[in-house]
Amino acid sequence: MEVNFFDRVYALARQIPYGKVTSYGAIAKALGAARSARMVGWAMNASHNLQDVPAHRVVNRTGLLTGKHHFQGTNLMQQLLENEGIQVIDNQIVDFEKHFWSPEVQQF
């Protein structure tokens, strides 16, 4: 049975450690689809019905909370990150490199 791209994105996103973040592009690259960062964003947007996908841990390549408007409540994404010890100022993760998790290339 072939697993679709969104399912592969979700499987990888579930591996992001607590207190860490990764980027849409890093997930796309790890899945062997380096030019598909936007599709990873679409997958994250569609994941809000899945309780076990930590979409709040996926940000853009500079640490900006570009997906925050897809969360219920005005600052839910930021609050979830701050609950994990990640400081956010003006929708930007402070010390982004320190919190960045680089996924390994995954074969699903």
Side-chain angles (χ1 to χ4, degrees):
M1 180 177 114
E2 184 176 327
V3 179
N4 76 37
F5 186 77
F6 279 23
D7 289 334
R8 292 170 61 214
V9 169
Y10 301 149
L12 202 150
R14 288 181 185 105
Q15 297 177 36
I16 304 168
Y18 182 92
K20 294 290 184 180
V21 294
T22 196
S23 68
Y24 304 105
I27 289 175
K29 185 176 179 185
L31 294 176
R35 295 179 173 258
S36 298
R38 187 165 286 164
M39 272 188 69
V40 171
W42 293 336
M44 290 295 98
N45 294 343
S47 74
H48 296 293
N49 294 331
L50 306 173
Q51 298 294 326
D52 64 336
V53 176
H56 65 284
R57 296 183 189 148
V58 183
V59 297
N60 85 353
R61 62 186 170 87
T62 64
L64 199 62
L65 309 189
T66 52
K68 76 176 213 149
H69 57 279
H70 294 285
F71 286 80
Q72 292 181 341
T74 44
N75 288 317
L76 181 58
M77 184 178 188
Q78 179 173 334
Q79 290 168 350
L80 291 168
L81 290 169
E82 288 174 343
N83 288 345
E84 295 186 19
I86 298 173
Q87 185 180 9
V88 178
I89 297 175
D90 291 332
N91 298 316
Q92 178 76 43
I93 292 176
V94 177
D95 294 329
F96 178 57
E97 297 78 20
K98 178 180 125 184
H99 298 290
F100 186 78
W101 176 75
S102 183
E104 298 295 321
V105 173
Q106 301 290 317
Q107 298 298 320
F108 293 101

